[in-house]
Amino acid sequence: MDPHLLRTYVTVARLASFSGAARQLGYTQSAVSQHIAALEQDLGSPLLTRRPVAPTPAGERLLEHAGPLLLRLDAARADVVRLASAPSHGLTLAVSPTSLGPAALAALPPAGVTLRVLGRDHVVAAVAEGAADLGLVDGLAAPSDPLRLPDVAPLTTRGVGEEPVSVLLPAAHPLARRSGLRLGDLVDARWLDAPDAGLPLPQLRAAAGGHGFRAALRYDGCDVRLLTALAAAGHGLTLLPRSAAAGVPGAVAVPVVEPRVVHRVEIVHAAAPPGGAARALLEALATRA
């Protein structure tokens, strides 16, 4: 399967437009049509309906494979380029919104840093593709357990911090006066679904036995302050690391006491040891961990 044809197919399916894909990829519309026809002939199955442009069942299945395959190819290219390139004097650090805690902030060099705030899965992809030298990603885990990160390339991860988690509730909420909360008691509560700004609801479900935690409102963004404002206004509960949940006006942060879970932060880098500013930050974070 030709990866160029596959990339064209993914772009057409994502944009639902042959002409839009041609503009984005820099091809003629005729060339895009030829790419799709060649891929369909190779696989022996129609992949797209034309009016409207939409994946067929076979096309949907191909899309499930295409993203990881193309990311793996981009990661391989970036890995080879890294080996042939001199270390950069600057540092590009990809971070998920709640991964850059006090210890990481203190370890940042005084100059030459570019921060890219991304969704958790996109942090890993940015490092794999060479768009970032290092990544900081976070999630909910049992104490000392590693995070379950997508397997997109030969990457190295290392834990650099753990802290308790708290449920953020409006100050007038009936549970706001509690000294601690069990996640199991909150499975039927109204929750904010903010997969990139807060701790994702699937992680809460997994920690509490695999059910409940229905969303009252979904927030597709990375602004933690907006997420906490939504919680304070009563639009739903959210789970955050203790440092991010503390001191929110109009809200109360109540610690989770059961099950024993923590907010874990890991640093991600390519399999080859980084150099320059990236190595210095890696060593500084390891020292503080």
Side-chain angles (χ1 to χ4, degrees):
M1 193 186 321
D2 188 327
H4 297 291
L5 304 184
L6 186 60
R7 201 176 296 277
T8 299
Y9 167 68
V10 170
T11 306
V12 173
R14 177 170 54 83
L15 298 176
S17 168
F18 281 72
S19 59
R23 287 192 298 272
Q24 181 165 318
L25 296 171
Y27 298 148
T28 64
Q29 187 169 336
S30 174
V32 169
S33 297
Q34 291 172 17
H35 284 192
I36 300 302
L39 186 60
E40 289 178 327
Q41 183 175 8
D42 180 25
L43 296 177
S45 177
L47 301 173
L48 291 166
T49 60
R50 268 42 177 192
R51 294 183 180 177
V53 177
T56 64
E60 290 283 6
R61 183 59 56 86
L62 180 59
L63 285 174
E64 294 175 9
H65 294 284
L69 285 171
L70 293 174
L71 179 55
R72 193 81 183 197
L73 286 171
D74 291 340
R77 177 187 295 274
D79 214 21
V80 172
V81 169
R82 284 190 193 99
L83 290 176
S85 302
S88 171
H89 293 294
L91 169 66
T92 299
L93 177 64
V95 300
S96 50
T98 50
S99 66
L100 198 60
L105 286 169
L108 289 176
V113 180
T114 298
L115 283 178
R116 298 184 62 199
V117 181
L118 305 170
R120 290 177 175 82
D121 290 348
H122 292 109
V123 169
V124 178
V127 176
E129 294 170 341
D133 302 300
L134 298 172
L136 282 173
V137 66
D138 63 334
L140 194 65
S144 301
D145 276 4
L147 298 176
R148 295 181 180 180
L149 300 179
D151 181 16
V152 297
L155 298 175
T156 300
T157 63
R158 180 188 305 177
V160 294
E162 291 183 354
E163 68 172 309
V165 293
S166 297
V167 180
L168 193 65
L169 313 97
H173 195 281
L175 299 177
R177 297 182 182 276
R178 294 277 189 94
S179 59
L181 290 170
R182 300 187 305 171
L183 280 182
D185 293 337
L186 300 171
V187 294
D188 295 323
R190 291 165 48 87
W191 284 88
L192 291 166
D193 183 12
D196 290 326
L199 291 169
L201 294 187
Q203 294 184 11
L204 273 67
R205 294 188 190 103
H211 63 279
F213 300 97
R214 291 171 297 179
L217 182 150
R218 181 175 175 87
Y219 170 52
D220 287 323
C222 291
D223 188 335
V224 178
R225 288 192 301 175
L226 178 53
L227 175 64
T228 59
L230 289 168
H235 293 290
L237 310 184
T238 190
L239 190 69
L240 290 168
R242 180 175 59 188
S243 58
V248 176
V252 175
V254 182
V256 171
V257 295
E258 186 182 325
R260 289 190 65 226
V261 288
V262 295
H263 171 254
R264 179 176 172 86
V265 179
E266 295 183 0
I267 194 161
V268 183
H269 61 84
R279 176 184 289 276
L281 177 59
L282 189 63
E283 292 174 349
L285 288 171
T287 300
R288 294 171 181 273

